Amino acid sequence: MNFEFSEEQHLLRDQARALLAEFCPTDTVRAVLDSDNEWDQSLWERVADMGWTATVIPEAYGGLGLSHYELAILAEEMGRSVAPLPFSSSVYLASEAILAFGSEGQKSEWLPKLASGECVGTVAMWERPGALALEQLATRRLGDTVSGVKSPVPDAGVADVVVVLAHSDAGLEACLVPMDQAGVQQQCVMTLDGSRGHSTLTLDNAQAEVLGHNTIEPSAWERLIDGAAVMFAWEQLGVAESALTQARDYALQRFAFGRAIGSYQAIKHKLAAMYVKNTLARSNAYYGVWALAENSADLPLAAATARVAGIQAAAFAAEENIQTHGGMGFTWEFDCHFYYRRAKLLSLVIGSEAVWQDRLVSGLTHQPTVAM
Amino acid sequence: MNFEFSEEQHLLRDQARALLAEFCPTDTVRAVLDSDNEWDQSLWERVADMGWTATVIPEAYGGLGLSHYELAILAEEMGRSVAPLPFSSSVYLASEAILAFGSEGQKSEWLPKLASGECVGTVAMWERPGALALEQLATRRLGDTVSGVKSPVPDAGVADVVVVLAHSDAGLEACLVPMDQAGVQQQCVMTLDGSRGHSTLTLDNAQAEVLGHNTIEPSAWERLIDGAAVMFAWEQLGVAESALTQARDYALQRFAFGRAIGSYQAIKHKLAAMYVKNTLARSNAYYGVWALAENSADLPLAAATARVAGIQAAAFAAEENIQTHGGMGFTWEFDCHFYYRRAKLLSLVIGSEAVWQDRLVSGLTHQPTVAM
Amino acid sequence: MDFNDTPAEARFREEAVTWLSHNVPTDDAFWALTPLEQAKLWQKRKYDDGWACLGWATEFGGRGASPIEEVIWRQEEARYELPTNFFLIGQGMIGPTLMAWATADDKARYLPPLASGEEVWCQLFSEPAGGSDLAALRTRAEPDGDDWIINGQKIWTSGAHYADYGVIVVRTDPTLPKHKGLSYFYIDMRAPGVEIKPIKQLTGDADFNEVYFTDVRVSDRQRLGEVGQGWQVALTTLMNERAAIGGGIGKMDVDLAIAIAQDVELDGQPAIDNAAVRTRIADWYVQEAGLKYTGYRSLTALSRGALPGPENSIGKLVGAPKMQAMASFLMDLLGASGAITDEALAVKAGIIQRAYMGAPGMRIAGGTDEIMANIIAERVLGLPQEPRLDKGIPFTDVPTG
Amino acid sequence: MDFNDTPAEARFREEAVTWLSHNVPTDDAFWALTPLEQAKLWQKRKYDDGWACLGWATEFGGRGASPIEEVIWRQEEARYELPTNFFLIGQGMIGPTLMAWATADDKARYLPPLASGEEVWCQLFSEPAGGSDLAALRTRAEPDGDDWIINGQKIWTSGAHYADYGVIVVRTDPTLPKHKGLSYFYIDMRAPGVEIKPIKQLTGDADFNEVYFTDVRVSDRQRLGEVGQGWQVALTTLMNERAAIGGGIGKMDVDLAIAIAQDVELDGQPAIDNAAVRTRIADWYVQEAGLKYTGYRSLTALSRGALPGPENSIGKLVGAPKMQAMASFLMDLLGASGAITDEALAVKAGIIQRAYMGAPGMRIAGGTDEIMANIIAERVLGLPQEPRLDKGIPFTDVPTG
């Protein structure tokens, strides 16, 4: 039995945590939240310099060719520090989509730039409220252009290239659309979590190149999203751990009626419940990354399990961390709301809890799934 | 605003509570549970003498012609005392079915005997595991006989007459079947709650008379069950109140680490949560009985709301009452398990929580329902 | 059982309805005012015709109405969207305190303009170090001739920036046990040395303030109750708190949930047909209807002359977490769009997201979930208090971490 | 990351598998024995070949195996349905206590027959007045020459009726504070004055006993630790408790839930297609898989030489309420049939109903949900204990209600 990261992987975690503690303290998050910025560009450059954006991209395309174990470690630290970065959009989604579906030429063109962080990528899936139904997308690809409205698209305001999910007469396609063109109109959209940017993209005969010059099976897209779900689960775990740590520290230091509030069972049991959910989320995230890294047939089940556990742990820890702080937790000055905002954002970005609970049971009973 | 029982109704409650405290202490329940008895017959006779079995039966048929407000009060006390009686089967179900669907002759024949308690009635609906689907019953009525297997049938071992739900070529019918005949085979079935009797009834060309000599609309049967659901909600509330009272008394009297366990927040907040659920259940039960007594169009919604609230309150209070007692709560000698058994039994008897949650939302959105 | 007014109640309601229909401002000039100006204008109009602070004695500007009449008035007034929040704390909590503890002269001077809305009051109790432990306050008042000099800091003060007067609890003797060394004063919010700083909440709004006191001079005549009796006076104020705060969970209800669930799809069909969605909606309706009919039962008791009790804590204890859970779930139903807060783009103009951001505050203000559960456990069920380590020891010796 | 054994672990597993395949009893004669006889026969066979109490030193009848080897053995042995529960408390909790506190002579005398199953031990700690407050015990031992005379009552003693020996904590000085006046002895369960009465549980079974002591004479040589040191000795026993009890939630798992949900209908379709059912199953699977992989992580740590810690409390804290909720929900899916407990008639021979009736006990035995949460809060998260009103005061003065 060796259900643990390796020494080297633990070293990577230490390194990542130290770097983010230094260059992404919560002031960094607050600065983005308090401004119109959509990211902290200098932090992005630092992260790219470390090679984090290159982690799982093969060496042939300028990447480090490491495994998803390493990426999972970075994802957790991204969540822990609530980093104001387009890391998930560019790394878990855009890079992975190009790697999975791109032609050799497309991979050679884009992956080195995404690996180096010189380009930021994102994926445009959503069009309207409700669960995402791949077979009902209104965005159309005709010839070498694509038209439609995608919203919200995370990090589009800082992206260079966007992978747009669309239909052509042939079926579902993922289209590479460079942002810098007249056919793409980008308009900022405010969300819960102002430390990350979101946009509405209006595509009006935008120049587009179909990834792999072919349609993709919905199940192949779902395989991609399963992989991203594992990474998001690690990021959610990081958020949950930060919220628990903050709550615990406050409970030890804050006194009421002559004793630390952490000595009251109401607070103790609340924090114990957070610990339990975080532990379940962590163990399920291990299971998820194992299935992803080993390309196991268990991936759909493991990814859904990790995702549901991550959603539940992050939401609970973020909500109850505020409660543990009482009135202080409801102020702008305390950092509690960063976790609250990010936890909810992450729970929505690739389909929400009910959708993944359904996918989980499909994984258990081996039924196909359709919605996200 | 007069959302409260009348003075007379409060007097009835006091009287009922005093009588059951005297003649149905928990020893009475224990005696039935510890034996092969299916009821406490002398208690039944006492209850019948008080006229409780006659409450809502019109005076023309030997009843008291009172309203469901009075019956609700009695139902709560039945639950509070975990009475080992076929009260719900005979009063909320059999009597109401005959009243709703019987011909004049059938009503004149059976209602006076049910009102006086000289006869016990019950209703046989269930045939197999799963939600009850009225359109899928296998029991058939042909000519003046009915055949099929019904299980579990509550209180059939002590019943004189059973209303059997069956299909004929014409549709859904409720058939009056006297128990005392060769065509009815009754076999006891053990359930969770041994203080109440249950049976499998094998009907082999049993003599049967169709209530009202006609089919009934499924919606009319559901109207009947809605009424019963309100009464069951009151009974569940009684169970929940007893469990809370027992837990509170124990928490005040039991000391650990030099203080009453009721001074620990874990116990305090557990009991507060019981109180909250019981209060919601009580207020929704008021709403239910108002809708039933006033024959409001709100009945389907009000009944489902009362039923779901009653299920939730009784289950929570019964489960957490045991936990409040620690190891003592898990012994045969303490009464905690009576509430645990009865709460679960009542939650299953006319369709369980998920079914009623569904009906509730149908009530809110005015959709028809089919299952139970 | 019925939902109807008694004949007397019906007559009163009729009178209220008629007066409202003639007096609610509808002109553009009114709507051009600031909310505070609107509130003051409307309050004064009510006061002039005897519809302000209905339960107060007429000598203080009220009408001497019964509790059920007050409820009927609130129901009818609530049919119009009028700003009334500005006076809740002053009229709901501080008015009753003045009635109980102030001199006859002060009552005559301060109560009528409080009822008419001409003077607004705020409450200065909470402090940064206190939290749920209100009596742990550190703001000091030291005697100086016939006056007292106040130094310290208060927090979570609603309306400090527009209030004319405030009531404050301060420590006048730190060598006594926590609850014993306190005194209670009313103060002029514009006195020299009073400095008000808004607190930005996690929603981005600023409904509360920090208030700093630097050598603020207060006459001993502004003291309510004896020196050292401040905690008892404060309890009078707090006893009226839940009546003043209550309600106000906003329009995050089952109707909204159904509307959303009918609008969006889940698993290829309208979300309202999804059993998991139905289960959640059913549970919320059980809570919503349960609270509604609990309210009807309380009204019935009021109508029969009972006083409101601690049972009312359940409204907030159930309603605030429900609001959070419901908002979270409805955002989930919207998918990625659920994160959008732009009023112009968000479903239902973003009220769901605002509810989600506001819910943590609802679960805290006026007592956290845990405090509410304590109140039910202790004051309704009669369970004992937690052991108190700070009881009877000098305030200066109480551990503070 | 992989789920494979290291080469050394694989060799050990192979050895265990081979031995088991040759030695597990399969003959009818074995199955005709009572469960206790079966357990003793099987334990002796393991002992003779060095497969009993693997972690113990060979001089005490063990094998000196590593923790991970113990786990591998348990995994392989668990593939066979063999009775081993009878020895859990003796070997898991009392053996380590004897090793830490007994004399060399006593270790040589008692440990090998404990390992071989020839002598069974039970643990006599809990008392009727105690509950979670174990040290509040009242059973007295009074000195009488070189002996002690024990009077009092114990409760919740598993296996008292078939045990040969027991360990007991008694109060030897009631004038000292609660934890200080205790001493720890081992006793002969067949000594005169020991009376054993089974406790009927709410399930109708009787796994536990009350044990009454009337002038039971015990030699001072049977004392473990000093007079007054009983609580420390008891802690050694209790520290090993969760290792001994753990697991055993039974086959109430997601596989069963899916099987039921595929079998029955809800809303006119198989219940497994119902979103509300799927949501519940998904949540349980998150818990089940989470616990499973937490176990794998712990095993990995063991394999690398770590010791098991208080983190293991989460197994019971999650598993027991889950068992109750799942059993309740599956009964709901069965409709009225869900109440049936007759093995011949009930779905899955009534295991769901048995689980529902047994779950409250699972949530209590070995520490209630609340105690488990305290352990996590205090020992994992480092939060402070509740204030202790009984600390330092004579036991006779501690309030008992």
Side-chain angles (χ1 to χ4, degrees):
Chain A
M1 178 67 60
N2 171 26
F3 200 56
E4 191 46 271
F5 291 101
S6 69
E7 288 292 326
E8 295 73 28
Q9 288 160 351
H10 283 305
L11 281 175
L12 173 64
R13 168 181 291 122
D14 295 345
Q15 187 192 47
R17 195 172 301 180
L19 183 121
L20 289 167
E22 184 174 355
F23 297 105
C24 187
T26 51
D27 288 355
T28 310
V29 184
R30 185 175 296 280
V32 176
L33 195 59
D34 277 340
S35 71
D36 288 337
N37 293 343
E38 301 201 3
W39 64 340
D40 184 318
Q41 191 169 354
S42 69
L43 180 64
W44 177 256
E45 284 159 11
R46 206 174 288 276
V47 155
D49 281 350
M50 298 296 295
W52 295 358
T53 44
T55 309
V56 297
I57 294 176
E59 289 171 89
Y61 305 116
L64 298 177
L66 293 169
S67 74
H68 283 93
Y69 293 123
E70 282 79 14
L71 192 56
I73 284 170
L74 297 172
E76 181 180 353
E77 299 310 315
M78 287 289 159
R80 188 183 303 276
S81 61
V82 209
L85 293 179
F87 195 77
S88 52
S89 299
S90 196
V91 178
Y92 320 155
L93 290 167
S95 298
E96 296 274 14
I98 293 169
L99 197 52
F101 304 116
S103 66
E104 197 48 47
Q106 290 163 336
K107 291 196 261 193
S108 301
E109 181 184 354
W110 288 103
L111 289 177
K113 290 187 271 189
L114 290 164
S116 71
E118 143 196 10
C119 274
V120 170
T122 188
V123 164
M125 297 188 279
W126 299 85
E127 299 181 348
R128 55 172 189 175
L132 184 65
L134 293 180
E135 71 283 8
Q136 288 180 6
L137 297 174
T139 303
R140 304 286 300 175
R141 198 269 308 164
L142 259 175
D144 58 358
T145 68
V146 65
S147 296
V149 179
K150 291 284 184 181
S151 181
V153 182
D155 306 303
V158 301
D160 303 282
V161 62
V162 53
V163 176
V164 174
L165 220 49
H167 276 277
S168 71
D169 292 341
L172 182 67
E173 295 172 347
C175 305
L176 265 177
V177 177
M179 285 292 295
D180 184 20
Q181 56 166 309
V184 178
Q185 227 195 346
Q186 177 251 329
Q187 192 175 8
C188 287
V189 169
M190 281 295 298
T191 71
L192 279 183
D193 185 0
S195 65
R196 291 280 303 283
H198 287 78
S199 304
T200 296
L201 288 188
T202 308
L203 307 168
D204 183 7
N205 289 306
Q207 289 301 311
E209 213 178 89
V210 177
L211 274 182
H213 309 293
N214 210 339
T215 59
I216 51 182
E217 286 299 314
S219 62
W221 185 260
E222 286 183 351
R223 166 69 179 69
L224 180 89
I225 296 297
D226 282 340
V230 172
M231 292 302 123
F232 277 112
W234 280 95
E235 200 166 317
Q236 288 165 318
L237 176 62
V239 172
E241 291 284 7
S242 273
L244 170 55
T245 301
Q246 197 190 16
R248 176 182 168 277
D249 291 350
Y250 191 76
L252 283 171
Q253 154 233 312
R254 174 87 182 183
F255 272 55
F257 306 105
R259 37 192 277 220
I261 63 169
S263 72
Y264 289 94
Q265 284 183 335
I267 299 293
K268 285 168 102 146
H269 292 187
K270 191 190 280 296
L271 298 195
M274 285 188 208
Y275 172 82
V276 167
K277 282 184 202 287
N278 288 9
T279 300
L280 296 177
R282 180 173 297 280
S283 296
N284 283 318
Y286 270 63
Y287 171 39
V289 71
W290 171 83
L292 177 60
E294 309 299 335
N295 206 11
S296 160
D298 267 7
L299 179 63
L301 174 60
T305 307
R307 170 99 177 129
V308 173
I311 288 173
Q312 293 177 345
F316 183 77
E319 290 174 0
E320 299 309 318
N321 176 38
I322 295 178
Q323 296 303 308
T324 303
H325 281 71
M328 292 296 172
F330 196 60
T331 60
W332 191 262
E333 279 68 29
F334 269 63
D335 301 336
C336 305
H337 60 113
F338 300 171
Y339 308 115
Y340 189 65
R341 293 171 187 280
R342 184 61 57 86
K344 194 67 210 174
L345 183 72
L346 294 178
S347 78
L348 297 169
V349 63
I350 52 162
S352 46
E353 188 181 4
V355 169
W356 286 92
Q357 285 168 322
D358 188 67
R359 287 169 74 115
L360 189 161
V361 178
S362 297
L364 279 170
T365 55
H366 310 292
Q367 298 158 330
T369 57
V370 286
M372 188 189 309
Chain B
M1 177 65 58
N2 172 26
F3 200 54
E4 191 47 86
F5 291 100
S6 69
E7 288 293 324
E8 294 74 26
Q9 288 159 350
H10 283 305
L11 280 176
L12 173 64
R13 168 180 291 122
D14 295 345
Q15 187 191 49
R17 194 171 301 180
L19 183 120
L20 289 167
E22 184 175 355
F23 297 105
C24 187
T26 53
D27 289 353
T28 310
V29 184
R30 185 175 294 281
V32 176
L33 195 60
D34 277 340
S35 71
D36 288 337
N37 292 343
E38 301 200 3
W39 64 340
D40 183 318
Q41 192 171 354
S42 69
L43 180 65
W44 178 256
E45 284 160 10
R46 207 173 287 274
V47 155
D49 280 350
M50 298 296 294
W52 296 358
T53 44
T55 310
V56 297
I57 295 174
E59 289 172 90
Y61 305 115
L64 298 178
L66 293 171
S67 76
H68 283 93
Y69 293 123
E70 282 79 14
L71 192 56
I73 284 170
L74 297 172
E76 181 180 354
E77 299 310 315
M78 287 289 159
R80 189 184 302 276
S81 61
V82 209
L85 293 179
F87 195 77
S88 52
S89 299
S90 196
V91 178
Y92 321 154
L93 290 167
S95 298
E96 297 274 16
I98 293 168
L99 198 52
F101 303 116
S103 67
E104 196 49 45
Q106 289 162 337
K107 290 197 261 193
S108 299
E109 181 185 353
W110 287 104
L111 290 177
K113 290 187 272 188
L114 290 165
S116 71
E118 139 197 15
C119 275
V120 170
T122 187
V123 163
M125 297 188 279
W126 299 85
E127 299 181 350
R128 55 173 190 173
L132 183 66
L134 292 180
E135 72 283 8
Q136 287 179 9
L137 297 174
T139 302
R140 304 287 298 174
R141 199 270 306 165
L142 260 174
D144 58 358
T145 68
V146 64
S147 296
V149 179
K150 292 283 184 182
S151 182
V153 182
D155 306 304
V158 301
D160 303 282
V161 62
V162 52
V163 176
V164 174
L165 220 49
H167 276 276
S168 71
D169 293 342
L172 182 68
E173 295 171 348
C175 306
L176 265 178
V177 178
M179 285 292 296
D180 185 18
Q181 58 167 306
V184 177
Q185 228 196 342
Q186 178 250 329
Q187 191 175 5
C188 288
V189 169
M190 282 293 299
T191 72
L192 279 183
D193 185 1
S195 66
R196 289 283 302 282
H198 287 76
S199 304
T200 296
L201 287 188
T202 309
L203 307 168
D204 183 9
N205 288 308
Q207 289 299 313
E209 212 178 89
V210 177
L211 274 181
H213 310 291
N214 209 337
T215 58
I216 51 181
E217 286 300 315
S219 62
W221 185 260
E222 287 183 349
R223 166 68 179 69
L224 179 89
I225 295 298
D226 282 340
V230 172
M231 291 301 124
F232 277 112
W234 281 94
E235 201 166 318
Q236 289 165 316
L237 176 62
V239 172
E241 291 283 7
S242 273
L244 170 55
T245 302
Q246 198 191 14
R248 176 182 168 278
D249 291 350
Y250 192 76
L252 284 171
Q253 154 232 312
R254 174 88 182 181
F255 272 55
F257 306 105
R259 37 192 275 219
I261 63 169
S263 72
Y264 289 94
Q265 283 184 335
I267 299 293
K268 285 167 102 145
H269 292 185
K270 191 192 281 296
L271 299 196
M274 286 188 206
Y275 173 82
V276 167
K277 283 185 201 287
N278 288 8
T279 301
L280 296 177
R282 180 173 297 280
S283 296
N284 282 318
Y286 270 63
Y287 171 38
V289 70
W290 171 83
L292 177 60
E294 309 299 335
N295 205 11
S296 159
D298 266 7
L299 180 62
L301 174 61
T305 307
R307 169 99 177 128
V308 173
I311 287 174
Q312 293 177 346
F316 183 77
E319 290 175 0
E320 299 309 319
N321 176 37
I322 295 179
Q323 296 302 310
T324 303
H325 281 71
M328 293 296 172
F330 196 58
T331 59
W332 191 261
E333 279 69 30
F334 269 65
D335 301 335
C336 304
H337 60 114
F338 300 170
Y339 308 114
Y340 190 63
R341 294 171 187 280
R342 184 61 59 87
K344 193 67 212 175
L345 182 73
L346 294 178
S347 78
L348 297 170
V349 62
I350 51 161
S352 46
E353 187 181 2
V355 169
W356 285 93
Q357 285 168 323
D358 187 69
R359 286 169 74 116
L360 189 161
V361 178
S362 297
L364 279 170
T365 55
H366 309 294
Q367 297 157 330
T369 56
V370 285
M372 191 189 306
Chain C
M1 238 184 242
D2 60 58
F3 297 115
N4 304 326
D5 290 333
T6 63
E9 289 163 8
R11 275 193 305 277
F12 180 83
R13 189 183 299 275
E14 181 56 34
E15 197 186 340
V17 166
T18 306
W19 187 84
L20 282 163
S21 69
H22 291 113
N23 287 281
V24 166
T26 51
D27 49 321
D28 289 349
F30 177 79
W31 293 110
L33 299 174
T34 66
L36 179 61
E37 289 166 341
Q38 289 172 1
K40 287 195 166 204
L41 185 153
W42 173 235
Q43 188 66 27
K44 183 66 164 56
R45 188 173 297 179
K46 290 191 285 183
Y47 176 81
D48 290 340
D49 283 5
W51 292 102
C53 298
L54 276 74
W56 293 12
T58 46
E59 58 187 297
F60 301 140
R63 182 189 187 92
S66 70
I68 192 73
E69 287 174 335
E70 289 188 87
V71 168
I72 290 169
W73 167 259
R74 274 204 299 275
Q75 288 172 342
E76 296 304 326
E77 188 184 13
R79 296 182 198 279
Y80 302 89
E81 299 225 353
L82 293 161
T84 56
N85 282 348
F86 296 96
F87 308 117
L88 275 183
I89 289 172
Q91 296 175 350
M93 299 168 66
I94 300 173
T97 309
L98 293 171
M99 284 178 218
W101 297 92
T103 61
D105 281 356
D106 276 357
K107 284 191 246 194
R109 157 64 187 85
Y110 292 108
L111 287 170
L114 170 53
S116 71
E118 285 160 292
E119 289 175 356
V120 180
W121 289 61
C122 66
Q123 182 237 70
L124 300 141
F125 285 9
S126 294
E127 295 196 3
S132 300
D133 183 6
L134 209 59
L137 56 90
R138 292 148 180 278
T139 296
R140 296 283 310 272
E142 278 160 341
D144 184 45
D146 273 354
D147 294 341
W148 296 80
I149 308 296
I150 298 179
N151 278 288
Q153 184 197 347
K154 295 288 176 178
I155 195 169
W156 310 125
T157 313
S158 294
H161 49 303
Y162 54 75
D164 301 286
Y165 295 94
V167 290
I168 188 168
V169 191
V170 292
R171 190 163 301 281
T172 43
D173 188 347
T175 66
L176 292 177
K178 193 167 78 172
H179 292 86
K180 311 225 158 165
L182 305 176
S183 302
Y184 189 113
F185 295 87
Y186 66 85
I187 61 169
D188 182 342
M189 288 301 286
R190 299 193 183 89
V194 176
E195 191 193 346
I196 295 161
K197 247 179 78 178
I199 299 170
K200 192 171 174 188
Q201 289 147 244
L202 64 78
T203 55
D205 301 330
D207 298 328
F208 303 106
N209 301 278
E210 292 176 296
V211 183
Y212 294 87
F213 294 86
T214 312
D215 294 332
V216 175
R217 179 169 295 273
V218 176
S219 159
D220 191 55
R221 280 178 295 106
Q222 289 171 240
R223 180 166 41 74
L224 300 180
E226 298 303 312
V227 174
Q229 208 180 8
W231 184 246
Q232 287 92 303
V233 184
L235 282 183
T236 309
T237 313
L238 294 172
M239 298 275 276
N240 287 284
E241 176 164 28
R242 262 160 288 279
I245 290 185
I249 301 279
K251 256 323 240 190
M252 178 58 41
D253 62 9
V254 161
D255 287 347
L256 176 69
I258 289 177
I260 300 283
Q262 285 172 332
D263 260 14
V264 302
E265 293 204 344
L266 181 59
D267 204 13
Q269 52 180 357
I272 190 69
D273 294 337
N274 181 283
V277 175
R278 294 171 81 81
T279 301
R280 298 295 294 266
I281 290 178
D283 286 350
W284 289 321
Y285 187 73
V286 163
Q287 296 183 330
E288 212 167 284
L291 290 181
K292 175 174 160 191
Y293 297 112
T294 300
Y296 284 7
R297 289 170 53 214
S298 300
L299 281 187
T300 305
L302 278 184
S303 165
R304 295 177 181 190
L307 291 174
E311 305 80 36
N312 295 324
S313 307
I314 101 165
K316 199 174 100 71
L317 181 55
V318 172
K322 164 172 166 278
M323 176 183 180
Q324 189 171 36
M326 191 181 259
S328 183
F329 189 77
L330 294 182
M331 285 157 74
D332 282 358
L333 282 188
L334 299 175
S337 298
I340 298 175
T341 52
D342 269 338
E343 280 190 35
L345 300 171
V347 171
K348 305 280 175 194
I351 59 172
I352 300 166
Q353 292 75 16
R354 278 199 299 285
Y356 189 66
M357 294 313 290
M362 290 288 314
R363 290 179 60 193
I364 292 165
T368 61
D369 294 353
E370 288 75 26
I371 295 290
M372 294 292 118
N374 279 348
I375 289 174
I376 288 172
E378 292 169 14
R379 292 173 56 195
V380 182
L381 298 177
L383 296 174
Q385 285 199 331
E386 288 276 316
R388 292 285 290 274
L389 301 188
D390 56 350
K391 224 163 204 167
I393 46 175
F395 181 69
T396 44
D397 296 344
V398 172
T400 57
Chain D
M1 237 184 244
D2 61 60
F3 297 115
N4 304 324
D5 290 333
T6 65
E9 289 164 9
R11 276 194 303 278
F12 180 83
R13 190 184 298 275
E14 181 57 32
E15 198 186 338
V17 165
T18 306
W19 186 86
L20 282 164
S21 69
H22 291 113
N23 287 281
V24 167
T26 51
D27 49 319
D28 289 349
F30 177 79
W31 293 110
L33 299 173
T34 66
L36 179 60
E37 289 165 341
Q38 290 173 359
K40 287 195 165 203
L41 184 152
W42 173 235
Q43 188 66 27
K44 185 62 167 54
R45 188 173 294 181
K46 289 190 287 183
Y47 176 80
D48 289 341
D49 283 5
W51 292 102
C53 297
L54 276 74
W56 293 12
T58 47
E59 58 186 299
F60 301 143
R63 180 188 189 95
S66 70
I68 190 74
E69 287 174 335
E70 291 188 86
V71 168
I72 290 169
W73 167 259
R74 275 204 298 273
Q75 289 173 341
E76 296 305 327
E77 188 184 12
R79 295 182 199 280
Y80 301 89
E81 298 225 351
L82 293 161
T84 56
N85 282 349
F86 297 97
F87 309 117
L88 276 182
I89 289 172
Q91 297 175 349
M93 298 167 66
I94 300 173
T97 310
L98 293 172
M99 285 179 218
W101 297 92
T103 63
D105 282 356
D106 276 357
K107 285 191 246 193
R109 157 66 188 87
Y110 291 108
L111 287 170
L114 170 53
S116 71
E118 286 161 291
E119 290 175 358
V120 179
W121 288 61
C122 67
Q123 183 236 72
L124 300 141
F125 285 10
S126 294
E127 296 195 4
S132 300
D133 183 5
L134 208 58
L137 57 90
R138 294 152 177 275
T139 296
R140 294 283 308 272
E142 278 162 342
D144 183 43
D146 273 353
D147 295 341
W148 295 81
I149 307 296
I150 299 181
N151 279 288
Q153 183 197 347
K154 296 289 177 176
I155 196 170
W156 310 124
T157 312
S158 294
H161 50 303
Y162 55 74
D164 302 286
Y165 295 94
V167 290
I168 187 169
V169 191
V170 292
R171 188 163 302 280
T172 43
D173 188 347
T175 67
L176 292 176
K178 191 167 78 172
H179 291 86
K180 310 226 158 167
L182 305 177
S183 302
Y184 190 112
F185 295 87
Y186 67 86
I187 62 168
D188 182 342
M189 288 300 286
R190 298 191 184 93
V194 176
E195 191 193 347
I196 296 161
K197 248 178 81 176
I199 300 170
K200 192 169 173 189
Q201 290 148 242
L202 64 77
T203 56
D205 302 329
D207 298 328
F208 302 106
N209 301 276
E210 290 177 297
V211 184
Y212 294 87
F213 294 86
T214 313
D215 293 333
V216 175
R217 180 170 294 273
V218 176
S219 159
D220 190 53
R221 279 178 296 109
Q222 290 172 238
R223 179 166 41 74
L224 300 180
E226 298 302 313
V227 173
Q229 209 180 8
W231 183 247
Q232 287 91 304
V233 185
L235 282 183
T236 309
T237 312
L238 293 172
M239 298 276 275
N240 288 283
E241 177 163 26
R242 260 161 289 280
I245 291 186
I249 302 279
K251 256 328 241 188
M252 178 57 42
D253 61 10
V254 161
D255 287 347
L256 176 69
I258 289 176
I260 300 282
Q262 285 172 332
D263 262 16
V264 302
E265 293 204 342
L266 182 60
D267 203 13
Q269 52 180 359
I272 190 67
D273 295 338
N274 181 283
V277 174
R278 295 171 80 82
T279 301
R280 299 294 293 267
I281 289 178
D283 286 351
W284 290 320
Y285 187 74
V286 163
Q287 297 183 329
E288 212 166 283
L291 290 182
K292 174 174 161 191
Y293 297 111
T294 300
Y296 285 6
R297 289 170 55 215
S298 300
L299 281 186
T300 305
L302 279 184
S303 164
R304 296 177 181 189
L307 292 174
E311 305 80 39
N312 296 323
S313 308
I314 103 166
K316 199 174 101 70
L317 182 54
V318 171
K322 164 173 165 280
M323 177 183 178
Q324 187 171 38
M326 192 182 259
S328 182
F329 189 75
L330 294 183
M331 286 158 73
D332 282 358
L333 283 188
L334 298 175
S337 297
I340 297 176
T341 51
D342 269 335
E343 281 191 32
L345 300 172
V347 172
K348 305 279 175 195
I351 59 173
I352 299 166
Q353 292 74 19
R354 279 198 300 285
Y356 188 65
M357 294 313 291
M362 290 286 317
R363 289 179 61 192
I364 294 165
T368 60
D369 294 353
E370 287 75 25
I371 295 292
M372 294 291 117
N374 279 349
I375 289 174
I376 288 173
E378 291 169 14
R379 292 175 54 195
V380 181
L381 298 177
L383 297 174
Q385 286 199 328
E386 288 277 315
R388 292 283 291 272
L389 302 188
D390 56 350
K391 224 160 204 169
I393 46 174
F395 182 68
T396 44
D397 296 345
V398 172
T400 57

